[in-house]
Amino acid sequence: MTTDPETPSEPRPEAKAPQGHPREPGTEKLTIIQLLPNMLTVVAICAGLTAIKLGLQGSYTFAVQLILLAAVLDGMDGRLARALKSESGMGAELDSLADFLNFGVAPGLLLYTWALEDSRGFGWLAVLVFAVCAVVRLARFNVQRKSEDKSHDNAYFTGVPSPAGALLVMLPMFLSFALGSGPFLPDFVLALWMVAMGLLMISRIPTWSFKTTRIPRKNAKFFLVAVAFALAAAVSYAWITLVLFCIGYIGTVIVMLPRKPRIGTGD
């Protein structure tokens, strides 16, 4: 028997669902290896909180080292998550919260307890400005990450990334540790430095992204030798190496000032 094409046919019965209850979102099981990126982020948060505690106790050298450890972990967790294909919305939000604590709150508090605690209020104002700039930058990054516009050039950042901003704001501490002396700059200068680094993070200045740097194969051996030399210098002369690194990074920011590429805000 033929069917009139204009007459809707009887609806087909829906396929039966498989036996058992359907798996609800978020109930899938993850291996310990897949959770490793989030574990690194949690360790970084613990390092940042401990750095604040040590700063309040006056152990500034160890506190700065913990923030440096948090920066290393911050550079590892995202790449590890992509390598293990375990990226998640929760991990991204956790990483942003860790960045705000480790690079927006802890460095400013360390600088404040180290040199600005006796200032006439402007020291604490500088801490607040730096922290607000850090959280604004991270919020801008989250908005861009969730947007559909992926046309920006990932070879550049908009403004200074928050980990780099944290290292730059602690440059006076690096100099002091390298020279074996206490704070040697006036409080007002240190406060201005902190505010300037905060404004750099939310600026529109294009800054170089090392994540997309490509090394020609013929120059790879020289690059590896340079990395080995830098690591040896960091082990033997840690504070001087950090000072030179910060100065070199400021140099790259100055060089990039005339350029106007389409840039991203990633950290």
Side-chain angles (χ1 to χ4, degrees):
M1 181 178 65
T2 60
T3 305
D4 187 352
E6 297 296 326
T7 304
S9 59
E10 295 182 1
R12 296 181 180 178
E14 295 183 359
K16 293 183 179 180
Q19 296 295 328
H21 297 287
R23 178 174 294 179
E24 297 180 359
T27 60
E28 65 275 8
K29 295 182 179 180
L30 300 174
T31 65
I32 298 298
I33 297 299
Q34 288 177 309
L35 288 174
L36 187 57
N38 288 347
M39 293 165 61
L40 292 180
T41 304
V42 171
V43 172
I45 292 174
C46 295
L49 287 171
T50 305
I52 295 174
K53 173 180 178 293
L54 292 175
L56 294 173
Q57 295 175 345
S59 301
Y60 298 111
T61 301
F62 195 21
V64 170
Q65 291 172 345
L66 285 177
I67 294 181
L68 295 176
L69 174 62
V72 173
L73 295 176
D74 176 71
M76 293 173 57
D77 56 4
R79 290 166 178 77
L80 189 58
R82 288 188 289 271
L84 297 175
K85 301 186 184 303
S86 60
E87 298 171 279
S88 65
M90 175 184 172
E93 297 301 328
L94 187 64
D95 186 64
S96 289
L97 293 173
D99 286 353
F100 175 57
L101 171 68
N102 296 330
F103 311 129
V105 176
L109 287 177
L110 281 184
L111 205 62
Y112 179 78
T113 57
W114 180 64
L116 298 175
E117 199 166 10
D118 296 329
S119 60
R120 298 181 180 179
F122 59 82
W124 183 246
L125 180 62
V127 174
L128 295 179
V129 171
F130 183 81
V132 170
C133 288
V135 77
V136 167
R137 175 180 178 79
L138 291 169
R140 186 175 67 182
F141 166 66
N142 287 340
V143 169
Q144 183 197 2
R145 176 172 54 83
K146 296 175 182 177
S147 69
E148 296 180 356
D149 182 17
K150 305 295 182 182
S151 61
H152 61 267
D153 187 356
N154 288 325
Y156 302 97
F157 294 139
T158 302
V160 173
S162 52
L167 293 181
L168 291 178
V169 83
M170 293 189 297
L171 177 57
M173 300 183 74
F174 300 158
L175 280 169
S176 175
F177 297 159
L179 298 175
S181 63
F184 55 89
L185 292 176
D187 293 351
F188 189 69
V189 174
L190 288 175
L192 285 179
W193 174 258
M194 193 184 307
V195 171
M197 294 305 101
L199 295 178
L200 274 180
M201 288 194 291
I202 61 172
S203 69
R204 308 300 299 181
I205 298 174
T207 57
W208 184 24
S209 171
F210 297 94
K211 299 177 182 179
T212 57
T213 302
R214 297 290 184 267
I215 305 298
R217 186 177 297 273
K218 63 180 181 179
N219 295 330
K221 54 183 177 295
F222 301 110
F223 176 77
L224 294 176
V225 171
V227 169
F229 178 79
L231 289 176
V235 172
S236 302
Y237 308 99
W239 303 120
I240 296 178
T241 303
L242 285 170
V243 169
L244 295 177
F245 173 80
C246 290
I247 294 175
Y249 188 84
I250 293 173
T252 63
V253 173
I254 295 174
V255 169
M256 293 302 300
L257 280 176
R259 305 192 182 187
K260 298 293 182 182
R262 298 187 67 181
I263 46 184
T265 62
D267 282 340

